[in-house]
Amino acid sequence: MHREFLMGNEAIALGAIAAGVNLITGYPGTPSTEVLETVAKNRQENQYVEWSVNEKAAMEVAAGAAYCGARVMVTMKQVGLNVASDPLMSLEYIGVKGGMVILVADDPGPISSQTEQDTRRFSAFSKLPCFDPSSAQEAYEMVQEAFAYSEEYGTPVFFRPTTRVCHGYASILVKDVEEYSLHKAEGFVKDSKRWVIFPRLSYQNHRKIEERNERLSEVFSEYERNRIYPEEGENAGTRKGIATGGISFTYAMEARDSLGAVRLFKVTTPHPFPEKRALEFLEGLDEVLCLEELDPVIERELTYLCGKYHLPVKIYGKLSHHVRNAGENTRDSVAEDIRKFLGEPDNDSARHMGIEQEREAPCGTADKGQSAALAGEAELPAPPALPVRPPVLCAGCPHRASFYAVKKAMKGKKTIFCGDIGCYTLGNAMPMDMVDTCLCMGAGLGIAQGVGRIEPDTSCFAFVGDSTFFASAITGVVNAVYNQARMTLVVLDNSTTAMTGHQPHPGTGQTMMGEVVSKINIEAVLRGIGVQVVETVNPLDHEAAVECVKRVESEPGAKAIIFKSPCIAVVKASNALKASEDRCIGCKKCVRELGCPALVIKDGKVRIDDSLCTGCTLCSQICPTGAIGGGKNE
């Protein structure tokens, strides 16, 4: 160990390096910027650093690496979190394997931002744990602890310094290089039940998150950085307390030494709130002043606890107008707030915290008629269990042909298929099994890049639809080109926004008011971004599609394939195919490999359900005996 005079952001960066961070991404924004820059200057072997094109792309690249078990950090300022909120909200439901620290620097004042938004509130909203350091030394140590908590509980965690922690300087104790942790990622392990965000998985994981956060509240109550001062003895008889966190804690400690007896509660993890430790703090107190920057997070939590446990403690702060409800705290402002609190407390302020006595009337009970009907229904025999009918791609859907072509082309190679939100999420189902990850719209591109950074020997594919391409995938392509990622983008262009009801988008050449406008050409957009290899192919021409995938995937850098074939719902179907009973040998290859709902088995042989078949001919192209014919080939 040795001492260095460091800026808080430099301390955080060196803490992350000491923790063995494998990948760090971010988008610049004061007061967070120096963290990533310092990692770049001091990075060790095999530590990857990039400025991503925006916070969403940064979050997704980091998520892909964390799926592989890498330790990752994402950096941004508080307004940047709005840009990253789409992958963030879903990522909490999916979880991570490697430690993932999301550093979001808040800007009270604001000094250089549009808003004073508080990431602690975003933490509760997104259900992620939050660590709130109060000094450069604590930030250095705590960021290493944050990685450990993230890995232990399989969740991203917020690390939320504010401006004075980020930009303040101090002489701090740091590890020597030989004391750094070395973290080696295990690699991505395919498990679609874990990495693909389907509604059923989200429901199950939501319940687990709520249970975990209750458990974390108890764990954080034992976390040594959530402390009560003095720890014992001194000021035991005081009836007043101060609750605080972040840089306000540092200011309060300086003021407290000169202003007299008071109990002080330092809140380092505002979410999940350390409830047991807070109750220990509140015991025997009459009044508590909350000192914090931005939102009254601690004040609301303590007010809630007093109500929950019927504690006769008055809680003062921003809500009671005892401290300013906006702007940055300073050492002097905190000292003045404490002085007033210890001198002449405003008893009238309790009215601000009055609890509404009126409660909504309890829900009415069912009337006699309803009760009788319910009783009658209860006597009926239980209905049989409904058959399980998982959602599948439509019969004749061109996405099935696209997935199948990629699957055949990449057979035997180490490959990851990153999916996206849309009809093509259903490529997850057997027998395709072609969606290894799915997070949010446009995220597949970033995840593929993140996996590729940790596992360069893996061929990384990202699938998006044409509507999703325009919605949120373009930035991911720019990121891949700019940061020289090696990956293959697959655009499934079916000329509509199919899953939500065939709404127009910029590639369809029509507006919602029926105006005919110039189509925006996806291939031209990709070439304009700088993608050197772009090929368009009809996925229903199976042999040509497979050869196209092999050819494009072998190219270096970021490249793209556009599988172009219209959705079956926007074009007239061809004649249905027919299966020859004489020529079908019952091998079921078409059923096993395609899973088209129009293919059925009767007496051991394949038949075509002509009410579903669109005549796409894909099954006829793979039948080893030529038993299937007709359709577009007629």
Side-chain angles (χ1 to χ4, degrees):
M1 301 284 282
H2 64 282
R3 283 199 174 275
E4 289 190 38
F5 188 63
L6 296 171
M7 177 195 284
N9 278 345
E10 294 172 331
I12 294 168
L14 293 186
I17 292 173
V21 67
N22 302 111
L23 176 146
I24 177 168
T25 59
Y27 189 78
T30 303
S32 70
T33 307
E34 296 85 358
V35 175
L36 190 144
E37 291 178 338
T38 303
V39 173
K41 290 177 185 173
N42 297 276
R43 66 188 178 93
Q44 305 295 297
E45 188 178 359
N46 296 326
Q47 287 180 328
Y48 174 76
V49 183
E50 78 169 35
W51 279 132
S52 304
V53 297
N54 68 10
E55 294 84 352
K56 179 180 187 306
M59 185 80 72
E60 293 161 353
V61 171
Y67 288 178
C68 298
R71 281 192 164 183
V72 303
M73 175 180 271
V74 192
T75 70
M76 64 194 74
K77 65 185 296 182
Q78 86 281 11
V79 288
L81 186 56
N82 302 336
V83 181
S85 62
D86 192 13
L88 170 73
M89 299 301 289
S90 297
L91 188 58
E92 171 58 345
Y93 277 63
I94 288 287
V96 293
K97 185 163 67 176
M100 182 174 188
V101 174
I102 302 170
L103 181 143
V104 183
D106 283 356
D107 182 19
I111 298 172
S112 61
S113 306
Q114 307 96 307
T115 68
E116 280 200 301
Q117 68 189 63
D118 191 324
T119 299
R120 295 176 301 166
R121 299 293 291 271
F122 225 125
S123 170
F125 177 47
S126 61
K127 307 182 188 302
L128 264 66
C130 182
F131 293 82
D132 192 4
S134 60
S135 67
Q137 181 71 59
E138 186 171 64
Y140 174 79
E141 297 166 3
M142 193 189 294
V143 73
Q144 298 172 64
E145 296 160 3
F147 276 111
Y149 275 102
S150 173
E151 282 179 350
E152 181 175 355
Y153 292 94
T155 176
V157 300
F158 275 122
F159 195 79
R160 179 254 186 189
T162 53
T163 304
R164 301 303 168 182
V165 173
C166 291
H167 287 170
Y169 275 82
S171 174
I172 68 169
L173 199 59
V174 299
K175 292 179 178 176
D176 298 323
V177 173
E178 55 270 23
E179 296 175 282
Y180 290 174
S181 297
L182 296 177
H183 186 80
K184 184 173 175 57
E186 176 193 12
F188 183 78
V189 178
K190 293 195 177 191
D191 182 0
S192 60
K193 292 180 180 177
R194 178 174 182 181
W195 303 119
V196 179
I197 192 165
F198 273 118
R200 185 176 180 182
L201 176 68
S202 297
Y203 167 70
Q204 293 170 343
N205 285 353
H206 186 187
R207 295 181 60 178
K208 292 177 183 176
I209 291 166
E210 299 296 346
E211 292 169 1
R212 182 206 66 202
N213 281 349
E214 286 188 20
R215 193 163 67 253
L216 269 178
S217 173
E218 297 193 4
V219 171
F220 285 160
S221 289
E222 302 299 323
Y223 184 35
E224 63 177 5
R225 298 188 189 278
N226 287 319
R227 297 176 66 176
I228 300 171
Y229 299 82
E231 298 186 29
E232 56 184 346
E234 185 186 358
N235 298 333
T238 184
R239 309 293 292 180
K240 293 188 176 184
I242 293 172
T244 183
I247 192 66
S248 298
F249 162 77
T250 304
Y251 297 152
M253 288 296 281
E254 292 183 16
R256 173 178 166 272
D257 289 342
S258 61
L259 290 175
V262 64
R263 189 185 303 171
L264 192 146
F265 180 31
K266 176 189 175 191
V267 180
T268 305
T269 56
H271 182 80
F273 199 71
E275 183 170 314
K276 285 187 177 178
R277 183 59 57 89
L279 291 175
E280 182 185 342
F281 162 72
L282 291 169
E283 185 177 1
L285 295 180
D286 294 329
E287 298 172 302
V288 171
L289 178 67
C290 298
L291 296 171
E292 53 194 320
E293 290 180 320
L294 303 177
D295 289 352
V297 172
I298 296 173
E299 185 181 359
R300 286 187 184 279
E301 290 284 357
L302 293 182
T303 302
Y304 162 74
L305 290 180
C306 289
K308 180 179 178 180
Y309 293 97
H310 307 289
L311 302 178
V313 185
K314 297 173 182 175
I315 308 297
Y316 306 136
K318 294 173 185 286
L319 294 173
S320 66
H321 303 291
H322 281 80
V323 298
R324 290 181 304 148
N325 59 8
E328 186 181 30
N329 287 344
T330 65
R331 190 190 70 167
D332 291 344
S333 73
V334 166
E336 179 65 11
D337 290 335
I338 294 176
R339 188 192 65 75
K340 289 180 179 176
F341 174 64
L342 297 180
E344 298 178 354
D346 179 6
N347 293 328
D348 291 340
S349 63
R351 69 178 185 275
H352 296 294
M353 298 171 288
I355 300 173
E356 290 290 337
Q357 297 298 318
E358 295 183 2
R359 294 283 187 269
E360 292 184 3
C363 295
T365 55
D367 60 29
K368 292 182 179 179
Q370 290 174 311
S371 299
L374 291 171
E377 288 180 3
E379 295 174 356
L380 294 174
L386 293 172
V388 177
R389 290 182 290 188
V392 296
L393 293 168
C394 299
C397 175
H399 296 340
R400 177 180 289 102
S402 302
F403 283 130
Y404 188 63
V406 176
K407 188 172 187 175
K408 298 299 285 186
M410 300 308 297
K411 185 177 181 180
K413 297 183 178 179
K414 187 180 179 185
T415 312
I416 183 172
F417 307 113
C418 299
D420 220 294
I421 303 296
C423 292
Y424 37 90
T425 308
L426 301 176
N428 161 260
M430 298 298 286
M432 285 297 135
D433 191 22
M434 288 289 289
V435 178
D436 295 323
T437 72
C438 184
L439 187 65
C440 68
M441 288 186 71
L445 275 146
I447 291 172
Q449 292 168 51
V451 172
R453 295 298 180 191
I454 303 302
E455 297 184 51
D457 60 335
T458 298
S459 294
C460 300
F461 283 78
F463 295 88
V464 299
D466 45 341
S467 182
T468 302
F469 175 81
F470 291 109
S472 57
I474 292 176
T475 49
V477 183
V478 176
N479 198 73
V481 173
Y482 167 60
N483 285 304
Q484 304 176 70
R486 187 182 188 282
M487 61 162 295
T488 304
L489 168 65
V490 178
V491 182
L492 306 174
D493 185 355
N494 63 359
S495 302
T496 188
T497 313
M499 180 166 266
T500 50
H502 306 288
Q503 293 78 17
H505 61 66
T508 62
Q510 188 175 10
T511 70
M512 194 58 193
M513 294 194 297
E515 299 165 311
V516 176
V517 296
S518 297
K519 295 180 181 180
I520 296 180
N521 184 284
I522 293 176
E523 183 167 336
V525 171
L526 289 169
R527 292 191 185 280
I529 288 171
V531 181
Q532 299 296 317
V533 178
V534 185
E535 291 200 28
T536 300
V537 65
N538 180 358
L540 296 176
D541 184 347
H542 179 61
E543 185 175 338
V546 172
E547 289 304 314
C548 177
V549 175
K550 290 180 179 177
R551 188 169 56 250
V552 172
E553 195 283 330
S554 66
E555 295 286 341
K559 54 270 184 188
I561 301 166
I562 302 172
F563 284 123
K564 190 169 181 63
S565 183
C567 174
I568 61 161
V570 299
V571 294
K572 184 179 178 181
S574 302
N575 295 329
L577 298 173
K578 295 180 177 60
S580 168
E581 186 173 354
D582 295 336
R583 300 181 67 175
C584 178
I585 58 175
C587 68
K588 303 183 184 65
K589 179 180 179 182
C590 54
V591 175
R592 287 187 285 104
E593 297 194 4
L594 299 180
C596 178
L599 297 169
V600 296
I601 302 296
K602 184 177 181 182
D603 299 329
K605 295 190 176 182
V606 171
R607 295 288 181 270
I608 306 292
D609 183 342
D610 58 10
S611 68
L612 295 175
C613 181
T614 64
C616 76
T617 77
L618 181 62
C619 57
S620 68
Q621 296 177 58
I622 71 165
C623 177
T625 64
I628 302 175
K632 291 178 179 175
N633 292 334
E634 284 185 332

XYZ file of all heavy atoms in Angstrom, residues 569-621:
381
model
N -48.284 -11.647 -43.271
C -49.554 -10.955 -43.052
C -49.748 -9.765 -43.992
O -50.828 -9.169 -44.012
C -49.649 -10.491 -41.599
N -48.725 -9.394 -44.741
C -48.853 -8.225 -45.614
C -48.789 -8.602 -47.097
O -48.829 -7.723 -47.952
C -47.779 -7.158 -45.299
C -47.919 -6.659 -43.870
C -46.381 -7.709 -45.545
N -48.664 -9.889 -47.403
C -48.676 -10.328 -48.808
C -49.652 -11.499 -48.950
O -49.977 -12.192 -47.981
C -47.270 -10.776 -49.283
C -46.326 -9.605 -49.310
C -46.725 -11.892 -48.412
N -50.103 -11.729 -50.159
C -51.014 -12.825 -50.418
C -50.234 -14.142 -50.442
O -49.167 -14.245 -51.068
C -51.709 -12.610 -51.762
C -52.766 -13.667 -52.073
C -53.428 -13.359 -53.415
C -54.462 -14.438 -53.747
N -55.105 -14.161 -55.060
N -50.756 -15.141 -49.759
C -50.077 -16.433 -49.695
C -50.136 -17.148 -51.033
O -51.081 -16.972 -51.814
C -50.715 -17.304 -48.615
N -49.099 -17.968 -51.323
C -49.118 -18.824 -52.507
C -49.931 -20.079 -52.204
O -50.417 -20.276 -51.083
C -47.684 -19.210 -52.877
O -46.907 -18.070 -53.114
N -50.056 -20.918 -53.179
C -50.759 -22.170 -52.940
C -50.039 -23.000 -51.885
O -48.807 -22.995 -51.800
C -50.843 -22.973 -54.249
C -51.698 -22.262 -55.279
O -52.648 -21.553 -54.925
N -51.371 -22.446 -56.551
N -50.834 -23.717 -51.108
C -50.236 -24.544 -50.055
C -49.444 -25.692 -50.666
O -49.754 -26.193 -51.762
C -51.337 -25.085 -49.144
N -48.386 -26.075 -49.951
C -47.585 -27.216 -50.387
C -48.352 -28.511 -50.146
O -49.334 -28.561 -49.401
C -46.265 -27.255 -49.632
C -45.327 -26.039 -49.827
C -44.151 -26.147 -48.881
C -44.850 -25.955 -51.261
N -47.842 -29.572 -50.731
C -48.431 -30.902 -50.539
C -47.301 -31.885 -50.266
O -46.206 -31.767 -50.828
C -49.215 -31.333 -51.776
C -50.435 -30.480 -52.089
C -51.146 -30.974 -53.322
C -52.419 -30.173 -53.602
N -52.139 -28.720 -53.812
N -47.574 -32.853 -49.388
C -46.583 -33.882 -49.080
C -47.021 -35.203 -49.705
O -48.168 -35.628 -49.554
C -46.427 -34.032 -47.573
N -46.111 -35.831 -50.415
C -46.417 -37.111 -51.060
C -46.291 -38.242 -50.047
O -45.215 -38.460 -49.470
C -45.443 -37.342 -52.220
O -45.541 -38.682 -52.663
N -47.369 -38.951 -49.843
C -47.351 -40.056 -48.881
C -46.402 -41.150 -49.340
O -45.757 -41.809 -48.525
C -48.769 -40.615 -48.716
C -48.891 -41.670 -47.629
C -50.329 -42.065 -47.376
O -51.235 -41.436 -47.966
O -50.552 -42.996 -46.607
N -46.296 -41.327 -50.646
C -45.431 -42.387 -51.169
C -43.949 -42.057 -50.992
O -43.138 -42.925 -50.704
C -45.727 -42.616 -52.654
C -47.135 -43.155 -52.876
O -47.667 -43.764 -51.925
O -47.688 -42.938 -53.971
N -43.611 -40.785 -51.163
C -42.183 -40.422 -51.133
C -41.700 -40.061 -49.721
O -40.494 -40.049 -49.472
C -41.927 -39.272 -52.092
C -42.303 -39.623 -53.532
C -42.034 -38.501 -54.499
N -40.595 -38.244 -54.653
C -40.075 -37.375 -55.502
N -40.898 -36.670 -56.271
N -38.782 -37.206 -55.597
N -42.615 -39.681 -48.818
C -42.209 -39.338 -47.445
C -41.741 -40.614 -46.740
O -42.457 -41.616 -46.693
C -43.370 -38.704 -46.678
S -42.957 -38.320 -44.952
N -40.542 -40.589 -46.188
C -39.987 -41.762 -45.495
C -40.137 -41.631 -43.975
O -39.627 -42.453 -43.213
C -38.504 -41.955 -45.861
C -37.697 -40.701 -45.489
C -38.368 -42.276 -47.360
C -36.191 -40.847 -45.705
N -40.820 -40.572 -43.546
C -41.071 -40.403 -42.096
C -39.832 -40.019 -41.301
O -39.778 -40.246 -40.094
N -38.846 -39.408 -41.936
C -37.634 -39.017 -41.189
C -37.897 -37.816 -40.286
O -37.156 -37.565 -39.349
C -36.501 -38.711 -42.156
S -36.758 -37.228 -43.175
N -38.935 -37.067 -40.621
C -39.370 -35.891 -39.841
C -38.295 -34.787 -39.778
O -38.296 -33.962 -38.868
C -39.789 -36.297 -38.425
C -40.886 -37.348 -38.351
C -41.271 -37.626 -36.913
C -42.296 -38.745 -36.807
N -41.779 -40.064 -37.265
N -37.389 -34.768 -40.721
C -36.361 -33.720 -40.714
C -36.996 -32.328 -40.769
O -36.574 -31.402 -40.071
C -35.411 -33.898 -41.900
C -34.327 -32.825 -41.960
C -33.393 -33.010 -43.156
C -32.335 -31.905 -43.187
N -31.451 -32.039 -44.360
N -38.023 -32.180 -41.576
C -38.670 -30.871 -41.723
C -39.283 -30.412 -40.394
O -39.199 -29.236 -40.030
C -39.721 -30.910 -42.821
S -40.956 -32.220 -42.618
N -39.884 -31.361 -39.671
C -40.509 -31.016 -38.388
C -39.436 -30.729 -37.349
O -39.498 -29.738 -36.612
C -41.421 -32.167 -37.911
C -41.985 -31.869 -36.522
C -42.555 -32.394 -38.904
N -38.428 -31.592 -37.288
C -37.388 -31.453 -36.265
C -36.554 -30.193 -36.446
O -36.123 -29.591 -35.474
C -36.468 -32.686 -36.298
C -37.077 -33.949 -35.732
C -36.053 -35.069 -35.655
N -35.767 -35.646 -36.971
C -34.667 -35.408 -37.661
N -33.742 -34.602 -37.180
N -34.463 -35.964 -38.849
N -36.324 -29.793 -37.674
C -35.402 -28.674 -37.895
C -36.089 -27.330 -38.116
O -35.468 -26.289 -37.924
C -34.488 -29.000 -39.085
C -33.608 -30.218 -38.815
C -32.472 -30.366 -39.809
O -32.316 -29.477 -40.664
O -31.753 -31.375 -39.722
N -37.346 -27.355 -38.540
C -38.033 -26.088 -38.818
C -39.108 -25.750 -37.791
O -39.311 -24.582 -37.449
C -38.666 -26.115 -40.220
C -37.688 -26.295 -41.386
C -38.458 -26.300 -42.708
C -36.636 -25.204 -41.398
N -39.864 -26.764 -37.337
C -40.912 -26.502 -36.357
C -42.038 -25.647 -36.897
O -42.696 -24.923 -36.141
N -42.311 -25.703 -38.201
C -43.398 -24.899 -38.780
C -44.741 -25.471 -38.344
O -44.971 -26.683 -38.465
C -43.279 -24.895 -40.300
S -44.615 -23.987 -41.117
N -45.671 -24.637 -37.856
C -46.978 -25.138 -37.405
C -47.780 -25.811 -38.514
O -48.699 -26.585 -38.221
C -47.687 -23.871 -36.915
C -46.607 -22.884 -36.658
C -45.527 -23.190 -37.636
N -47.461 -25.557 -39.775
C -48.214 -26.167 -40.875
C -47.786 -27.614 -41.125
O -48.441 -28.323 -41.905
C -48.031 -25.342 -42.151
N -46.706 -28.043 -40.509
C -46.229 -29.410 -40.672
C -46.796 -30.268 -39.549
O -46.576 -29.978 -38.368
C -44.695 -29.456 -40.631
C -43.969 -28.697 -41.752
C -42.483 -28.589 -41.446
C -44.178 -29.406 -43.088
N -47.524 -31.308 -39.899
C -48.122 -32.193 -38.897
C -47.757 -33.638 -39.245
O -47.403 -33.957 -40.388
C -49.661 -32.038 -38.845
C -50.029 -30.632 -38.393
C -50.287 -32.328 -40.207
N -47.838 -34.490 -38.251
C -47.513 -35.908 -38.436
C -48.816 -36.713 -38.396
O -49.627 -36.562 -37.482
C -46.561 -36.411 -37.341
C -45.266 -35.580 -37.320
C -46.252 -37.888 -37.551
C -44.436 -35.704 -38.576
N -49.006 -37.542 -39.404
C -50.159 -38.434 -39.427
C -49.688 -39.810 -39.893
O -49.067 -39.919 -40.960
C -51.238 -37.898 -40.368
C -52.511 -38.748 -40.359
C -53.588 -38.134 -41.264
C -54.856 -38.973 -41.232
N -55.895 -38.421 -42.130
N -49.957 -40.826 -39.111
C -49.536 -42.197 -39.420
C -48.026 -42.274 -39.670
O -47.558 -42.990 -40.578
C -50.304 -42.727 -40.646
C -51.802 -42.761 -40.399
O -52.205 -42.965 -39.234
O -52.562 -42.545 -41.356
N -47.276 -41.497 -38.901
C -45.817 -41.559 -38.998
C -45.227 -40.766 -40.142
O -44.008 -40.772 -40.320
N -46.076 -40.131 -40.941
C -45.550 -39.369 -42.077
C -46.019 -37.916 -42.009
O -47.003 -37.584 -41.357
C -46.002 -40.013 -43.396
C -45.406 -41.417 -43.589
C -45.658 -41.926 -44.977
C -44.971 -43.293 -45.176
N -45.132 -43.818 -46.536
N -45.265 -37.065 -42.722
C -45.553 -35.632 -42.684
C -46.733 -35.299 -43.595
O -46.843 -35.810 -44.719
C -44.303 -34.828 -43.109
C -44.645 -33.351 -43.297
C -43.199 -34.981 -42.069
N -47.600 -34.417 -43.076
C -48.697 -33.879 -43.863
C -48.644 -32.350 -43.758
O -48.066 -31.808 -42.833
C -50.047 -34.383 -43.341
C -50.236 -35.883 -43.491
C -50.442 -36.242 -44.983
N -50.645 -37.677 -45.141
C -49.674 -38.549 -45.340
N -48.397 -38.121 -45.410
N -49.919 -39.832 -45.463
N -49.261 -31.695 -44.702
C -49.287 -30.232 -44.717
C -50.692 -29.757 -44.342
O -51.682 -30.191 -44.950
C -48.934 -29.675 -46.109
C -47.597 -30.238 -46.604
C -48.904 -28.140 -46.061
C -46.392 -29.787 -45.845
N -50.787 -28.894 -43.336
C -52.065 -28.275 -42.984
C -52.272 -27.104 -43.946
O -51.668 -26.046 -43.800
C -52.026 -27.798 -41.530
C -53.354 -27.195 -41.071
O -54.178 -26.836 -41.943
O -53.562 -27.074 -39.851
N -53.140 -27.322 -44.958
C -53.266 -26.285 -45.994
C -53.990 -25.039 -45.511
O -54.020 -24.018 -46.214
C -53.926 -26.850 -47.253
C -55.305 -27.423 -46.968
O -55.818 -27.209 -45.850
O -55.862 -28.090 -47.858
N -54.569 -25.094 -44.302
C -55.184 -23.871 -43.757
C -54.117 -22.932 -43.180
O -54.378 -21.756 -42.953
C -56.191 -24.226 -42.659
O -55.540 -24.748 -41.517
N -52.924 -23.468 -42.925
C -51.838 -22.653 -42.373
C -50.716 -22.392 -43.373
O -50.063 -21.356 -43.336
C -51.230 -23.341 -41.132
C -52.139 -23.492 -39.902
C -51.420 -24.295 -38.822
C -52.541 -22.128 -39.360
N -50.495 -23.349 -44.272
C -49.337 -23.254 -45.175
C -49.451 -22.035 -46.102
O -50.497 -21.781 -46.698
C -49.220 -24.536 -46.000
S -47.791 -24.509 -47.133
N -48.365 -21.289 -46.208
C -48.325 -20.111 -47.092
C -47.601 -20.406 -48.405
O -47.471 -19.519 -49.246
C -47.595 -18.951 -46.395
O -46.229 -19.331 -46.171
C -48.251 -18.607 -45.065
N -47.065 -21.641 -48.520
C -46.339 -21.986 -49.736
C -44.968 -21.371 -49.818
O -44.458 -21.108 -50.925
N -44.302 -21.179 -48.683
C -42.981 -20.528 -48.696
C -41.908 -21.431 -49.308
O -40.852 -20.948 -49.712
C -42.582 -20.110 -47.288
S -42.012 -21.444 -46.218
N -42.110 -22.737 -49.271
C -41.244 -23.761 -49.883
C -39.998 -24.108 -49.077
O -39.196 -24.925 -49.527
C -40.785 -23.399 -51.317
O -39.744 -22.418 -51.252
C -41.934 -22.906 -52.167
N -39.810 -23.526 -47.911
C -38.591 -23.824 -47.154
C -38.491 -25.321 -46.839
O -37.430 -25.928 -46.993
C -38.559 -23.006 -45.855
C -37.322 -23.211 -44.982
C -36.050 -22.792 -45.724
C -37.455 -22.420 -43.668
N -39.600 -25.922 -46.409
C -39.558 -27.340 -46.040
C -39.247 -28.210 -47.260
O -38.547 -29.231 -47.151
C -40.856 -27.761 -45.361
S -42.346 -27.474 -46.351
N -39.747 -27.806 -48.418
C -39.488 -28.602 -49.617
C -38.013 -28.567 -50.006
O -37.495 -29.500 -50.615
C -40.349 -28.113 -50.787
O -39.935 -26.823 -51.210
N -37.333 -27.481 -49.630
C -35.911 -27.345 -49.977
C -35.007 -28.217 -49.107
O -33.874 -28.497 -49.485
C -35.482 -25.880 -49.855
C -36.176 -24.941 -50.839
C -35.776 -23.485 -50.637
O -34.607 -23.149 -50.711
N -36.752 -22.627 -50.395
